[in-house]
Amino acid sequence: MGQDTFVSLGGCRFSPEEISAAILSELKFQAEKYLDRKFSKAVITVPAFFQDHQRQATIEAGKLANLDVIRIINEPTAAAVAYDTKMENNQRILVYDLGGGTFDVSLVLVENGVVEVKSSHGDTFLGGDDFDQLILELLFDSIYNKHQIDLSSNTAIRYRLWKAVEKAKRELSDSPFAKIQEEFITGDIHIDFELSRSEYEQLITPILMQTLDCVHHCLKDAACLPSSIDRILLVGGATRTPLIHSMLQKEFGILPRHEINPDLIVSMGAAIHGAVISGSKHHSILVDITPHTFGTGVLEMEESGANPEKYIPIIKRNTPLPASKTEAFSTVYDNQETIEVTVYQGENENVSDNFL
């Protein structure tokens, strides 16, 4: 989302916003059909580590689907809102959200009816699809070793095997072995490949270590020790992987919770938040944060000369929303009549290394 890329389908080119709008339109149609009423407004969730331009692209997708997007909320936050309906005592919750293409982790404090996000971290290019890719590459290597033919660049074969790989990945959540069997992949080549859960776990361990690094960053930002976490909430279909459960249990000493369907909990939280906005009563108050720093660029005078690349943070990441901050700056020379104020998002000291 928010990138200048296009997908070719049926001889036409579509932007990510147009693809997203098509999905939203279908969801809108199905909801109106099921509830027998029209909808014009929506609460949409996004990965917590989405940049601002990605959030704006999501809003644009809503407009293309004839929806007034009244609120964008972070997916881990929405999950915490849904989970809060089952909360009995005040809790400090770690929300581990591993979806198909993104990973987010948030530390959420639920106290006296207030759901407050203390910190968030993540990777917008890491998810369960990476698991599929690793298995797929293993499968192509097996085909090459057996038949001396490289099929990895064949788009049609790649898509066909991807569907079989995803099915096998799901089976490995509940079984120690999974078979991938496909006939006549090309010519007279057939596939009969068995993957064990232990082999699969060896493949994905480096990716899961990356998610654990994000978890540590999240805890550090909130000045929170692992021992102070009361519960771990799993979100996203990829969290059904048993290795994730054992990894988090080993790290925190507590068993992750997934009593609410990890595929649905985010949408449930969004629905609850939408109901609150429309006037329904709910005992929780949501306090979200900005996962990135917002600031501006200035001309800094140094001994070696002027530095036009200085970035000054104004609203720092993990600041509760809504937020308003002010900062005082001087003009370059007296009686200067105009200035240019640019807003950037990011954590780098050089302004050009951040997002405009």
Side-chain angles (χ1 to χ4, degrees):
M1 293 293 287
Q3 295 183 351
D4 189 20
T5 58
F6 293 88
V7 177
S8 296
L9 292 171
C12 299
R13 297 171 75 241
F14 299 93
S15 67
E17 291 83 359
E18 291 172 323
I19 297 293
S20 180
I23 296 171
L24 290 171
S25 295
E26 178 62 21
L27 289 173
K28 179 175 180 286
F29 171 77
Q30 293 294 341
E32 290 177 340
K33 180 180 178 181
Y34 182 80
L35 296 173
D36 194 26
R37 55 175 296 189
K38 295 293 182 181
F39 292 96
S40 60
K41 298 181 179 181
V43 173
I44 299 180
T45 64
V46 296
F49 233 54
F50 251 26
Q51 301 282 353
D52 186 64
H53 71 279
Q54 293 172 305
R55 295 169 188 266
Q56 293 301 320
T58 302
I59 294 174
E60 182 62 29
K63 291 179 180 178
L64 292 175
N66 295 317
L67 287 169
D68 178 15
V69 183
I70 55 178
R71 190 68 55 86
I72 292 284
I73 61 175
N74 296 330
E75 290 172 359
T77 306
V81 169
Y83 185 71
D84 176 53
T85 61
K86 293 181 174 291
M87 193 74 66
E88 296 178 356
N89 303 310
N90 296 336
Q91 300 279 333
R92 187 177 279 105
I93 307 172
L94 185 79
V95 183
Y96 184 98
D97 182 359
L98 184 60
T102 62
F103 171 71
D104 289 309
V105 58
S106 293
L107 182 64
V108 180
L109 181 64
V110 181
E111 190 173 28
N112 299 323
V114 177
V115 179
E116 181 179 4
V117 182
K118 304 299 291 184
S119 65
S120 290
H121 210 277
D123 189 331
T124 55
F125 297 99
L126 185 153
D129 291 346
D130 295 304
F131 299 173
D132 299 338
Q133 185 65 29
L134 290 173
I135 302 175
L136 200 55
E137 295 305 321
L138 186 67
L139 199 55
F140 282 128
D141 288 343
S142 174
I143 295 171
Y144 182 82
N145 293 334
K146 188 174 182 179
H147 301 282
Q148 286 73 53
I149 182 172
D150 184 5
L151 301 176
S152 60
S153 59
N154 188 308
T155 303
I157 292 176
R158 197 174 190 89
Y159 177 71
R160 179 179 171 184
L161 292 182
W162 173 77
K163 293 172 66 177
V165 160
E166 187 177 36
K167 181 176 180 291
K169 180 187 69 174
R170 294 173 182 270
E171 290 178 1
L172 288 172
S173 295
D174 301 308
S175 304
F177 296 94
K179 271 191 171 282
I180 300 174
Q181 296 175 313
E182 293 288 329
E183 295 184 340
F184 300 105
I185 286 296
T186 180
D188 58 352
I189 294 179
H190 311 293
I191 293 179
D192 188 359
F193 184 82
E194 185 176 74
L195 180 65
S196 69
R197 182 186 290 171
S198 60
E199 290 175 310
Y200 172 59
E201 290 179 345
Q202 287 178 9
L203 284 176
I204 67 173
T205 292
I207 294 177
L208 296 186
M209 290 299 103
Q210 293 180 49
T211 71
L212 210 52
D213 288 341
C214 293
V215 170
H216 292 151
H217 278 294
C218 179
L219 295 178
K220 183 178 179 181
D221 287 344
C224 178
L225 294 173
S227 58
S228 64
I229 300 298
D230 297 305
R231 297 195 180 190
I232 301 172
L233 178 59
L234 298 180
V235 180
T239 60
R240 289 187 173 90
T241 305
L243 182 58
I244 292 176
H245 296 221
S246 58
M247 178 189 72
L248 292 174
Q249 186 175 12
K250 180 180 178 181
E251 185 74 16
F252 292 93
I254 53 178
L255 189 66
R257 306 291 294 270
H258 54 92
E259 56 264 40
I260 301 179
N261 189 325
D263 290 320
L264 301 179
I265 188 169
V266 169
S267 58
M268 291 169 62
I272 292 171
H273 194 62
V276 171
I277 293 174
S278 65
S280 299
K281 290 185 177 181
H282 190 259
H283 66 278
S284 294
I285 300 173
L286 175 61
V287 180
D288 211 341
I289 62 168
T290 170
H292 300 282
T293 295
F294 288 88
T296 189
V298 300
L299 181 67
E300 183 181 47
M301 303 306 295
E302 301 174 340
E303 292 183 2
S304 58
N307 174 22
E309 285 287 298
K310 183 64 176 177
Y311 176 61
I312 302 296
I314 305 295
I315 298 178
K316 296 184 177 181
R317 65 191 178 104
N318 296 324
T319 298
L321 297 175
S324 176
K325 301 286 184 181
T326 60
E327 194 65 63
F329 300 95
S330 62
T331 56
V332 177
Y333 54 87
D334 293 339
N335 302 316
Q336 182 175 330
E337 295 183 354
T338 62
I339 61 170
E340 181 182 9
V341 179
T342 51
V343 179
Y344 291 85
Q345 175 184 277
E347 319 300 328
N348 293 295
E349 292 184 358
N350 291 331
V351 68
S352 59
D353 292 331
N354 297 301
F355 288 93
L356 177 62

